[in-house]
């Protein structure tokens, strides 16, 4: 279990479980691109956030592609991930059918692979919040028909 901080030494419990939120590609691009209009808002939110930021390989791929204007920025992003800036959720190959099914259900929006993997993780890990600049997450529902709260909109 990922842990956020220690509790009082005299307490029987040693750790408090960390809060987890999902992170979409938009805020990650904004964080590493100082010229992005969401850069300051995302940076400000993350400076005060206490918990685990979770994403998927599909999101990392999308972010790296969008940061292709500068190899050093891409490398800085990957270094940040390597150092624990994000927790990358591994989706087993045998669960790709569920992701494909979600994408099929949202052909009118449409739902891309990165978004579908985040909704899969939300369902699998019972995560209720996302950090995103996209309004698509106001439409998408998890497999249990739940919506995600966009924490960036609340900040």
């Amino acid at each position: 279990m990922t842990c956020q901080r220690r509790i009082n030494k005299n307490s029987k419990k040693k750790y408090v479980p960390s809060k987890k939120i999902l992170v979409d590609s938009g805020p990650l691009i904004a964080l590493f691109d100082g010229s992005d209009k969401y850069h300051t808002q995302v940076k400000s939110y993350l400076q005060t956030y206490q918990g685990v930021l979770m994403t998927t390989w599909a999101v990392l791929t999308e972010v790296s592609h969008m940061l292709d204007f500068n190899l050093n920025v891409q490398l800085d992003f990957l270094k940040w991930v390597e150092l624990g800036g994000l927790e990358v959720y591994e989706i087993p190959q045998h669960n790709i059918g569920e992701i494909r099914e979600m994408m099929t259900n949202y052909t009118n929006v449409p739902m891309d692979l990165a978004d579908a993997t985040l909704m899969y993780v939300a369902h699998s890990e019972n995560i209720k919040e996302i950090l995103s600049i996209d309004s698509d997450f106001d439409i998408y529902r998890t497999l249990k028909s739940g919506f995600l709260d966009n924490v960036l909109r609340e900040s």
Side-chain angles (χ1 to χ4, degrees):
M1 173 179 284
T2 307
C3 296
Q4 180 177 347
R5 62 182 181 273
R6 290 189 183 271
I7 297 180
N8 182 331
K9 291 179 188 178
N10 298 326
S11 173
K12 293 188 181 202
K13 294 181 181 178
K14 294 193 184 223
Y15 297 103
V16 173
S18 292
K19 174 181 177 180
K20 291 183 181 181
I21 62 169
L22 295 170
V23 185
D24 192 19
S25 55
L28 296 172
I29 294 163
L31 183 62
F32 284 86
D33 179 357
S35 68
D36 189 288
K37 70 179 185 176
Y38 294 100
H39 176 79
T40 303
Q41 184 182 7
V42 170
K43 187 174 176 183
S44 175
Y45 178 83
L46 292 178
Q47 285 174 334
T48 60
Y49 177 72
Q50 303 247 340
V52 175
L53 302 171
M54 185 174 281
T55 199
T56 65
W57 274 103
V59 171
L60 295 184
T61 301
E62 194 170 89
V63 171
S64 184
H65 173 72
M66 295 304 292
L67 295 176
D68 70 349
F69 61 87
N70 185 317
L71 178 61
N72 288 328
V73 174
Q74 286 178 319
L75 295 173
D76 287 346
F77 167 66
L78 293 174
K79 184 66 171 182
W80 180 72
V81 173
E82 178 185 355
L83 293 173
L86 294 168
E87 184 175 308
V88 182
Y89 189 89
E90 296 288 337
I91 299 172
Q93 184 174 355
H94 64 271
N95 291 94
I96 292 174
E98 292 177 46
I99 292 166
R100 186 178 43 76
E101 183 180 329
M102 280 189 282
M103 292 172 73
T104 302
N105 290 339
Y106 288 97
T107 54
N108 60 331
V109 173
M111 178 185 272
D112 68 19
L113 178 62
D115 291 353
T117 62
L118 290 171
M119 293 306 292
Y120 171 85
V121 176
H123 170 75
S124 298
E125 295 295 311
N126 199 29
I127 297 174
K128 308 265 189 235
E129 296 176 316
I130 191 162
L131 184 66
S132 179
I133 60 173
D134 294 338
S135 60
D136 293 345
F137 288 97
D138 296 337
I139 298 166
Y140 302 150
R141 290 181 300 207
T142 65
L143 295 172
K144 293 180 181 175
S145 297
F147 290 96
L148 298 177
D149 293 323
N150 189 344
V151 296
L152 192 58
R153 193 167 298 130
E154 299 167 5
S155 67

